[in-house]
Amino acid sequence: MAKLTVGWFTFTCCEDSTIIFTELLNQHWQDWTKKIDFKYAKTLRRSVDLGPMDVAFVEGAISSVKQSQKLKQIRSLAKILVAIGSCAITGQPSAQRNEFNQTQKAEIKTILERFDYADKVQKLSDLVAVDHSVPGCPMDEQKFLSLINKLIHAPN
Ligand code: SF4
């Protein structure tokens, strides 16, 4: 059986689901390494140019044009895209600044300009089609395990 080619990508967030994912490797690495090629995962290996993949796990909300372009590129290369955690699924809590009043917006204006951030923070499904979601803040470990095991055993 061909290995599942997987990418793990992070946008605007606190990266707690990445920490959970790497912790899970302590128990599952021996098994997963036979079945999964973690081709694009900055926490595990040096970056390589993006190419086609079976599954893209995407954590975080989208807060700039550059991020939205990267997300669209990932979507075009992945057969299946999975939103990981609340920020990716709903935008929150990363999108709290969308609700700021005028005074608060004025206070963060220079930061938005300096880092080329967009006016609004968006959830993944505002920009691309999402096939599966793993809810939680951070992601629910059992739901992630159940989904990845299903994807490993699905024909690809
Ligand atoms: S969903 Fe929660 S844990 Fe995950 S990145 Fe957002 S704030 Fe952090």
Side-chain angles (χ1 to χ4, degrees), residues 13-17 59 85-87 93 136-138:
C13 66
C14 72
E15 302 192 40
D16 268 11
S17 294
E59 168 194 41
S86 172
C87 289
C137 179

Side-chain angles (χ1 to χ4, degrees), residues 4-49:
L4 196 73
T5 308
V6 161
W8 181 279
F9 304 95
T10 300
F11 289 99
T12 298
C13 66
C14 72
E15 302 192 40
D16 268 11
S17 294
T18 296
I19 292 169
I20 289 192
F21 166 62
T22 46
E23 288 288 336
L24 285 170
L25 292 172
N26 288 327
Q27 297 139 35
H28 298 277
W29 178 254
Q30 296 292 345
D31 179 40
W32 285 353
T33 198
K34 294 179 205 130
K35 300 166 184 166
I36 302 174
D37 175 9
F38 290 101
K39 199 163 183 182
Y40 315 105
K42 280 187 183 169
T43 44
L44 304 180
R45 58 189 302 173
R46 214 176 282 166
S47 300
V48 292
D49 287 342

Side-chain angles (χ1 to χ4, degrees), residues 5 8-9 11 21 36 39 45 54 69 73 75 94 103 118 120 122 129 132 137-139 150:
T5 308
W8 181 279
F9 304 95
F11 289 99
F21 166 62
I36 302 174
K39 199 163 183 182
R45 58 189 302 173
D54 296 310
Q69 287 166 344
Q73 182 194 15
R75 174 69 275 188
S94 284
T103 310
K120 293 274 180 192
Q122 293 173 288
H132 299 282
C137 179
M139 70 170 180
K150 207 186 293 172

Side-chain angles (χ1 to χ4, degrees), residues 48-80:
V48 292
D49 287 342
L50 282 187
M53 67 197 95
D54 296 310
V55 185
F57 294 105
V58 183
E59 168 194 41
I62 303 299
S63 57
S64 69
V65 172
K66 205 169 156 195
Q67 288 187 5
S68 111
Q69 287 166 344
K70 177 86 184 282
L71 176 67
K72 286 174 185 169
Q73 182 194 15
I74 292 165
R75 174 69 275 188
S76 72
L77 293 166
K79 290 182 195 163
I80 295 169

